[in-house]
Each structure stands twice: as C-alpha cells, then as structure tokens.
Amino acid sequence: MIARIDHIGIAVQSISQALAFFEQALGIKLERIESEEGGRTQVAFLPVGASDVELVEPQDAESGLAKFLAKRGEGVHHICFEVDDIEAALARLKEHGAQLIDETPRSNAKGQRYAFIHPKSAHGVLIELYEYGKAT
Amino acid sequence: MIARIDHIGIAVQSISQALAFFEQALGIKLERIESEEGGRTQVAFLPVGASDVELVEPQDAESGLAKFLAKRGEGVHHICFEVDDIEAALARLKEHGAQLIDETPRSNAKGQRYAFIHPKSAHGVLIELYEYGKAT
C-alpha cells in the first residue's frame, strides 16, 4: 500500500542559503525549483535515490509553513509517502481513528491527489500521502 | 556520493503504541525490533521501498533521545543518508564549514561506520551519514 518515501519536506527560511548546505556541503544535487500553491511556496527538489529532499520556503507570511517556521524554526516539516490508492489509504486511517487534515484528497495542478494526516495522530509527524495518476 | 535515504528516525515514547498507527493504520509492516547502543535504545524497523522508517524509543532517561522527547515531544528525530565514502563526505562537510557531532565516524556492532551532522549546520535537521561495509 505504501510504495516508498516520495519526499522529505524541510522548512527553510531561504532556499538559496539552504542549498549552500544541502548541495555544496552535503552533495545532493538540485534538480529544479518550482513555485507551488499558487505562488505561496517555493520548492527546491533534490533527488536522493528513489526519493526527493524538498526544501520548502514560504512566500506568504500568513501560510501554515511560515507559521511553522516562526514557531519551530527550520527543520523537517513533513514526510510524504507514495500510496497506490489514496482513497483506500484514507479509509484505513479513518477506520483506525486517525485524525486527517484532509478527509478527502486534494488535487494539485497536475491532477495528482494528496492528503495530509494530522501530526497528533501520527506521533508528531506531519504525514502526506501522494498518489501518482493512473492511466484511465 | 549520497546514494539514498537509508532511514527516517522517529522518536516515540512507546514503540508498541506507535505501531498501532504506523503498522495498523498507515499500513507499513514491521520487520523487526532491535536493541541498540548497548540497550539504551529500542528500534523498530519498518521498510518502505528502499528506505526504513525507524521508530526509536529510549530505554535510558539520561539519553539524548529521552531529552529530545522531553523537550520536543514525539516526531522526526533524524534523517539518515547512505554514503559510499563517509571519510570523503565528512571532509567535504568540514571544508564547507559544517559543524559535525562526530568529526570521525563511529562504528556500530556490525563494524559499519556512521556520523552525525549537527542540526545547527543542517537547517534544523539532525543528519546521520551511514556507510555500509565494503569487502576488503
């Protein structure tokens, strides 16, 4: 059901400063930087094996990500797992009493579906589930 | 240089309680539980693709892990990357001014070498580097 770790999202104040560490010092190569959530977040993608390290930088001081940074500082923001069937995954979580941030999946600009599980249910970890599109 | 995410270490108060979420609700299967660091930590290994989720539970109230839990609560404790050459990786980090917890690698019971990078240098992320043994 859970195929792999899709990415680890790391909240940073500045992608360019964070790249000095993650790319130059640690040696993980930057693939691309994208604007997400209608420009509210910048995301740098650094592939590592079958997963990505994603450096996420808020562009909007009112976003959840900006508030996370103000409260907790930089660090791991969320872990994203790829699932083959997001509806089934959410149903299983609900059945076991997990608290979901998204009861039904959201869709991104590519039409791929994702949902977040509340860290209260997930032992302090903000977990994202992501389903890559199937041919229909 | 960085081959893959070896594991994500999640600090938990109780492995058995955490398994109710990670195994039963989320659906990641437990492979094994091991005692590490001379009995100071219990670790549950839950493979996900090419990586593991590791649930780490302190057995010693004076350990760094116990203090992390007391201060921050449950959540992501560290990210471990597999490297092919840990000496080269540490040299590169030093060259770029990164603060290392382990200037030289430690060895585990299997003779495999690992080292931690201080979260102050790594944008709030405690990073472990791990080199699997080479045939010599």
Short mmCIF file of all heavy atoms in Angstrom, two decimals, chain A residues 35-82:
data_model
loop_
_atom_site.label_atom_id
_atom_site.label_comp_id
_atom_site.label_asym_id
_atom_site.label_seq_id
_atom_site.Cartn_x
_atom_site.Cartn_y
_atom_site.Cartn_z
N SER A 35 7.48 26.94 -8.19
CA SER A 35 6.54 27.70 -7.37
C SER A 35 5.30 26.82 -7.20
O SER A 35 4.82 26.23 -8.15
CB SER A 35 6.19 29.00 -8.10
OG SER A 35 5.28 29.73 -7.35
N GLU A 36 4.82 26.67 -5.96
CA GLU A 36 3.65 25.82 -5.72
C GLU A 36 2.57 26.58 -4.95
O GLU A 36 2.82 27.68 -4.46
CB GLU A 36 4.06 24.56 -4.92
CG GLU A 36 4.91 23.60 -5.75
CD GLU A 36 5.02 22.21 -5.14
OE1 GLU A 36 4.55 21.99 -4.01
OE2 GLU A 36 5.61 21.33 -5.81
N GLU A 37 1.42 25.96 -4.85
CA GLU A 37 0.29 26.54 -4.11
C GLU A 37 0.01 27.98 -4.57
O GLU A 37 -0.13 28.89 -3.73
CB GLU A 37 0.53 26.51 -2.60
CG GLU A 37 0.70 25.08 -2.09
CD GLU A 37 0.90 25.06 -0.58
OE1 GLU A 37 -0.10 25.10 0.14
OE2 GLU A 37 2.07 25.02 -0.13
N GLY A 38 -0.06 28.18 -5.87
CA GLY A 38 -0.37 29.49 -6.42
C GLY A 38 0.62 30.56 -6.01
O GLY A 38 0.26 31.72 -5.80
N GLY A 39 1.88 30.15 -5.88
CA GLY A 39 2.93 31.13 -5.58
C GLY A 39 3.18 31.33 -4.09
O GLY A 39 4.04 32.12 -3.70
N ARG A 40 2.49 30.57 -3.25
CA ARG A 40 2.65 30.76 -1.80
C ARG A 40 3.88 30.05 -1.25
O ARG A 40 4.29 30.29 -0.12
CB ARG A 40 1.39 30.27 -1.06
CG ARG A 40 0.15 31.09 -1.42
CD ARG A 40 -1.06 30.60 -0.68
NE ARG A 40 -1.05 31.02 0.72
CZ ARG A 40 -1.75 30.43 1.69
NH1 ARG A 40 -2.49 29.38 1.42
NH2 ARG A 40 -1.70 30.89 2.92
N THR A 41 4.43 29.11 -2.04
CA THR A 41 5.60 28.33 -1.59
C THR A 41 6.57 28.13 -2.75
O THR A 41 6.14 27.88 -3.87
CB THR A 41 5.14 26.93 -1.09
OG1 THR A 41 4.01 27.07 -0.22
CG2 THR A 41 6.25 26.22 -0.34
N GLN A 42 7.84 28.25 -2.46
CA GLN A 42 8.88 27.85 -3.41
C GLN A 42 9.41 26.50 -2.95
O GLN A 42 9.65 26.31 -1.74
CB GLN A 42 10.05 28.84 -3.39
CG GLN A 42 9.79 30.16 -4.05
CD GLN A 42 9.95 30.09 -5.56
OE1 GLN A 42 8.94 30.06 -6.29
NE2 GLN A 42 11.16 30.04 -6.03
N VAL A 43 9.61 25.59 -3.88
CA VAL A 43 10.09 24.24 -3.53
C VAL A 43 11.30 23.89 -4.37
O VAL A 43 11.25 23.96 -5.60
CB VAL A 43 8.99 23.17 -3.75
CG1 VAL A 43 9.48 21.81 -3.27
CG2 VAL A 43 7.70 23.55 -3.03
N ALA A 44 12.39 23.52 -3.71
CA ALA A 44 13.59 23.04 -4.40
C ALA A 44 13.61 21.52 -4.28
O ALA A 44 13.47 20.98 -3.18
CB ALA A 44 14.84 23.63 -3.75
N PHE A 45 13.76 20.84 -5.43
CA PHE A 45 13.74 19.38 -5.47
C PHE A 45 15.17 18.86 -5.61
O PHE A 45 15.86 19.17 -6.58
CB PHE A 45 12.91 18.90 -6.66
CG PHE A 45 11.45 19.25 -6.58
CD1 PHE A 45 11.00 20.50 -6.97
CD2 PHE A 45 10.52 18.33 -6.10
CE1 PHE A 45 9.65 20.85 -6.88
CE2 PHE A 45 9.17 18.66 -6.01
CZ PHE A 45 8.74 19.92 -6.40
N LEU A 46 15.59 18.03 -4.65
CA LEU A 46 16.93 17.44 -4.67
C LEU A 46 16.78 15.92 -4.59
O LEU A 46 16.59 15.36 -3.51
CB LEU A 46 17.76 17.95 -3.49
CG LEU A 46 18.13 19.45 -3.49
CD1 LEU A 46 17.03 20.29 -2.87
CD2 LEU A 46 19.43 19.68 -2.74
N PRO A 47 16.83 15.23 -5.73
CA PRO A 47 16.63 13.78 -5.74
C PRO A 47 17.75 13.03 -5.00
O PRO A 47 18.93 13.37 -5.14
CB PRO A 47 16.65 13.41 -7.23
CG PRO A 47 16.42 14.69 -7.96
CD PRO A 47 17.02 15.76 -7.10
N VAL A 48 17.33 12.04 -4.22
CA VAL A 48 18.25 11.15 -3.49
C VAL A 48 17.71 9.74 -3.66
O VAL A 48 16.73 9.37 -3.03
CB VAL A 48 18.28 11.47 -1.98
CG1 VAL A 48 19.31 10.59 -1.28
CG2 VAL A 48 18.59 12.93 -1.73
N GLY A 49 18.33 8.94 -4.51
CA GLY A 49 17.81 7.60 -4.78
C GLY A 49 16.38 7.71 -5.32
O GLY A 49 16.12 8.50 -6.23
N ALA A 50 15.46 6.95 -4.73
CA ALA A 50 14.07 6.92 -5.21
C ALA A 50 13.21 8.02 -4.59
O ALA A 50 12.00 8.06 -4.82
CB ALA A 50 13.48 5.55 -4.89
N SER A 51 13.82 8.89 -3.80
CA SER A 51 13.06 9.92 -3.08
C SER A 51 13.64 11.29 -3.38
O SER A 51 14.66 11.41 -4.06
CB SER A 51 13.16 9.66 -1.56
OG SER A 51 12.83 8.32 -1.25
N ASP A 52 12.96 12.31 -2.90
CA ASP A 52 13.49 13.68 -3.01
C ASP A 52 13.64 14.27 -1.62
O ASP A 52 12.84 14.00 -0.72
CB ASP A 52 12.50 14.59 -3.76
CG ASP A 52 12.52 14.40 -5.26
OD1 ASP A 52 13.58 14.06 -5.81
OD2 ASP A 52 11.47 14.61 -5.88
N VAL A 53 14.66 15.09 -1.46
CA VAL A 53 14.65 16.08 -0.39
C VAL A 53 14.03 17.33 -1.00
O VAL A 53 14.43 17.75 -2.08
CB VAL A 53 16.08 16.37 0.12
CG1 VAL A 53 16.10 17.60 1.03
CG2 VAL A 53 16.63 15.16 0.86
N GLU A 54 13.01 17.85 -0.36
CA GLU A 54 12.38 19.08 -0.84
C GLU A 54 12.61 20.18 0.18
O GLU A 54 12.25 20.05 1.35
CB GLU A 54 10.86 18.88 -1.04
CG GLU A 54 10.52 17.95 -2.19
CD GLU A 54 9.03 17.92 -2.53
OE1 GLU A 54 8.26 18.75 -1.99
OE2 GLU A 54 8.64 17.04 -3.31
N LEU A 55 13.23 21.25 -0.27
CA LEU A 55 13.41 22.43 0.58
C LEU A 55 12.24 23.36 0.30
O LEU A 55 12.04 23.77 -0.85
CB LEU A 55 14.73 23.12 0.26
CG LEU A 55 15.98 22.23 0.33
CD1 LEU A 55 17.22 23.00 -0.13
CD2 LEU A 55 16.17 21.69 1.74
N VAL A 56 11.44 23.64 1.32
CA VAL A 56 10.24 24.45 1.10
C VAL A 56 10.39 25.78 1.82
O VAL A 56 10.69 25.84 3.01
CB VAL A 56 8.95 23.69 1.54
CG1 VAL A 56 8.69 22.52 0.60
CG2 VAL A 56 9.02 23.18 2.97
N GLU A 57 10.19 26.85 1.04
CA GLU A 57 10.37 28.21 1.55
C GLU A 57 9.07 28.98 1.37
O GLU A 57 8.56 29.07 0.25
CB GLU A 57 11.50 28.90 0.77
CG GLU A 57 11.70 30.36 1.16
CD GLU A 57 12.58 31.14 0.16
OE1 GLU A 57 13.55 30.58 -0.38
OE2 GLU A 57 12.27 32.33 -0.07
N PRO A 58 8.52 29.53 2.44
CA PRO A 58 7.26 30.26 2.30
C PRO A 58 7.46 31.59 1.56
O PRO A 58 8.49 32.24 1.71
CB PRO A 58 6.82 30.51 3.75
CG PRO A 58 8.07 30.46 4.56
CD PRO A 58 9.00 29.52 3.84
N GLN A 59 6.44 31.95 0.77
CA GLN A 59 6.44 33.24 0.07
C GLN A 59 5.33 34.14 0.63
O GLN A 59 5.11 35.23 0.14
CB GLN A 59 6.17 33.03 -1.43
CG GLN A 59 7.13 32.07 -2.09
CD GLN A 59 8.55 32.61 -2.14
OE1 GLN A 59 8.80 33.65 -2.72
NE2 GLN A 59 9.47 31.92 -1.48
N ASP A 60 4.63 33.62 1.63
CA ASP A 60 3.45 34.29 2.18
C ASP A 60 3.53 34.15 3.70
O ASP A 60 3.49 33.05 4.23
CB ASP A 60 2.20 33.60 1.62
CG ASP A 60 0.91 34.07 2.28
OD1 ASP A 60 0.97 34.86 3.25
OD2 ASP A 60 -0.17 33.64 1.82
N ALA A 61 3.65 35.28 4.38
CA ALA A 61 3.87 35.28 5.84
C ALA A 61 2.69 34.71 6.61
O ALA A 61 2.82 34.36 7.79
CB ALA A 61 4.16 36.70 6.32
N GLU A 62 1.52 34.58 5.95
CA GLU A 62 0.33 34.05 6.63
C GLU A 62 0.14 32.55 6.42
O GLU A 62 -0.82 31.97 6.95
CB GLU A 62 -0.93 34.79 6.13
CG GLU A 62 -0.95 36.28 6.45
CD GLU A 62 -0.78 36.54 7.95
OE1 GLU A 62 -1.49 35.90 8.74
OE2 GLU A 62 0.09 37.36 8.32
N SER A 63 1.01 31.92 5.65
CA SER A 63 0.85 30.49 5.35
C SER A 63 1.18 29.63 6.56
O SER A 63 1.88 30.06 7.49
CB SER A 63 1.75 30.10 4.18
OG SER A 63 3.11 30.22 4.56
N GLY A 64 0.66 28.42 6.54
CA GLY A 64 0.97 27.47 7.60
C GLY A 64 2.47 27.22 7.71
O GLY A 64 3.02 27.08 8.81
N LEU A 65 3.12 27.18 6.57
CA LEU A 65 4.56 26.94 6.54
C LEU A 65 5.32 28.09 7.22
O LEU A 65 6.26 27.85 8.00
CB LEU A 65 5.02 26.78 5.09
CG LEU A 65 6.50 26.51 4.85
CD1 LEU A 65 6.93 25.21 5.51
CD2 LEU A 65 6.79 26.46 3.35
N ALA A 66 4.90 29.33 6.95
CA ALA A 66 5.55 30.49 7.58
C ALA A 66 5.34 30.44 9.10
O ALA A 66 6.26 30.74 9.87
CB ALA A 66 4.99 31.78 7.00
N LYS A 67 4.15 30.03 9.51
CA LYS A 67 3.86 29.94 10.95
C LYS A 67 4.68 28.82 11.61
O LYS A 67 5.15 28.97 12.73
CB LYS A 67 2.35 29.74 11.18
CG LYS A 67 1.57 31.02 10.88
CD LYS A 67 0.06 30.79 10.91
CE LYS A 67 -0.66 32.07 10.44
NZ LYS A 67 -2.06 31.80 10.07
N PHE A 68 4.82 27.71 10.89
CA PHE A 68 5.66 26.61 11.38
C PHE A 68 7.08 27.11 11.61
O PHE A 68 7.69 26.87 12.67
CB PHE A 68 5.65 25.46 10.36
CG PHE A 68 6.59 24.32 10.68
CD1 PHE A 68 6.15 23.20 11.37
CD2 PHE A 68 7.93 24.37 10.29
CE1 PHE A 68 7.03 22.16 11.67
CE2 PHE A 68 8.81 23.32 10.59
CZ PHE A 68 8.35 22.22 11.28
N LEU A 69 7.62 27.84 10.64
CA LEU A 69 8.99 28.36 10.75
C LEU A 69 9.12 29.33 11.92
O LEU A 69 10.12 29.30 12.66
CB LEU A 69 9.39 29.06 9.46
CG LEU A 69 10.00 28.19 8.38
CD1 LEU A 69 10.07 28.95 7.06
CD2 LEU A 69 11.40 27.71 8.78
N ALA A 70 8.12 30.20 12.08
CA ALA A 70 8.17 31.18 13.17
C ALA A 70 8.15 30.49 14.53
O ALA A 70 8.82 30.90 15.47
CB ALA A 70 7.00 32.16 13.04
N LYS A 71 7.38 29.38 14.61
CA LYS A 71 7.21 28.69 15.89
C LYS A 71 8.33 27.69 16.18
O LYS A 71 8.86 27.65 17.28
CB LYS A 71 5.86 27.97 15.87
CG LYS A 71 5.43 27.40 17.22
CD LYS A 71 4.05 26.76 17.14
CE LYS A 71 3.75 25.98 18.42
NZ LYS A 71 2.53 25.16 18.26
N ARG A 72 8.66 26.88 15.18
CA ARG A 72 9.58 25.76 15.39
C ARG A 72 10.98 26.00 14.85
O ARG A 72 11.91 25.27 15.19
CB ARG A 72 9.02 24.47 14.73
CG ARG A 72 7.62 24.06 15.19
CD ARG A 72 7.61 23.36 16.53
NE ARG A 72 8.46 22.19 16.59
CZ ARG A 72 8.06 20.95 16.90
NH1 ARG A 72 6.79 20.72 17.13
NH2 ARG A 72 8.93 19.97 16.99
N GLY A 73 11.10 26.95 13.96
CA GLY A 73 12.38 27.14 13.28
C GLY A 73 12.53 26.17 12.12
O GLY A 73 11.64 25.36 11.85
N GLU A 74 13.66 26.24 11.46
CA GLU A 74 13.91 25.36 10.32
C GLU A 74 14.00 23.90 10.77
O GLU A 74 14.37 23.62 11.91
CB GLU A 74 15.23 25.77 9.64
CG GLU A 74 15.17 27.15 8.99
CD GLU A 74 16.42 27.45 8.18
OE1 GLU A 74 17.53 27.14 8.67
OE2 GLU A 74 16.30 27.98 7.08
N GLY A 75 13.66 23.01 9.87
CA GLY A 75 13.75 21.58 10.19
C GLY A 75 12.76 20.79 9.35
O GLY A 75 12.11 21.33 8.46
N VAL A 76 12.66 19.49 9.67
CA VAL A 76 11.76 18.63 8.90
C VAL A 76 10.32 19.10 9.12
O VAL A 76 9.87 19.23 10.25
CB VAL A 76 11.91 17.15 9.32
CG1 VAL A 76 10.88 16.29 8.60
CG2 VAL A 76 13.32 16.64 9.00
N HIS A 77 9.65 19.36 8.02
CA HIS A 77 8.26 19.83 8.08
C HIS A 77 7.27 18.69 7.87
O HIS A 77 6.30 18.57 8.59
CB HIS A 77 8.07 20.93 7.02
CG HIS A 77 6.68 21.46 6.95
ND1 HIS A 77 5.78 21.08 5.98
CD2 HIS A 77 6.03 22.34 7.75
CE1 HIS A 77 4.63 21.72 6.20
NE2 HIS A 77 4.76 22.49 7.25
N HIS A 78 7.53 17.84 6.89
CA HIS A 78 6.63 16.70 6.66
C HIS A 78 7.36 15.59 5.92
O HIS A 78 8.43 15.80 5.34
CB HIS A 78 5.38 17.13 5.88
CG HIS A 78 5.64 17.55 4.46
ND1 HIS A 78 6.06 18.81 4.12
CD2 HIS A 78 5.55 16.86 3.28
CE1 HIS A 78 6.20 18.89 2.81
NE2 HIS A 78 5.91 17.73 2.27
N ILE A 79 6.75 14.40 5.99
CA ILE A 79 7.23 13.22 5.26
C ILE A 79 6.12 12.81 4.33
O ILE A 79 4.97 12.68 4.76
CB ILE A 79 7.49 12.04 6.23
CG1 ILE A 79 8.46 12.42 7.35
CG2 ILE A 79 7.98 10.81 5.47
CD1 ILE A 79 9.87 12.65 6.93
N CYS A 80 6.45 12.59 3.07
CA CYS A 80 5.44 12.19 2.09
C CYS A 80 5.69 10.77 1.61
O CYS A 80 6.79 10.43 1.17
CB CYS A 80 5.44 13.14 0.90
SG CYS A 80 4.25 12.65 -0.37
N PHE A 81 4.64 9.94 1.73
CA PHE A 81 4.70 8.56 1.25
C PHE A 81 3.86 8.44 -0.02
O PHE A 81 2.74 8.96 -0.08
CB PHE A 81 4.13 7.60 2.29
CG PHE A 81 4.92 7.53 3.57
CD1 PHE A 81 4.45 8.11 4.73
CD2 PHE A 81 6.15 6.87 3.60
CE1 PHE A 81 5.18 8.04 5.92
CE2 PHE A 81 6.88 6.80 4.78
CZ PHE A 81 6.40 7.38 5.93
N GLU A 82 4.39 7.74 -1.00
CA GLU A 82 3.57 7.41 -2.17
C GLU A 82 2.68 6.23 -1.85
O GLU A 82 3.14 5.21 -1.31
CB GLU A 82 4.46 7.06 -3.37
CG GLU A 82 3.62 6.79 -4.62
CD GLU A 82 4.41 6.18 -5.76
OE1 GLU A 82 5.66 6.22 -5.73
OE2 GLU A 82 3.76 5.66 -6.69
#
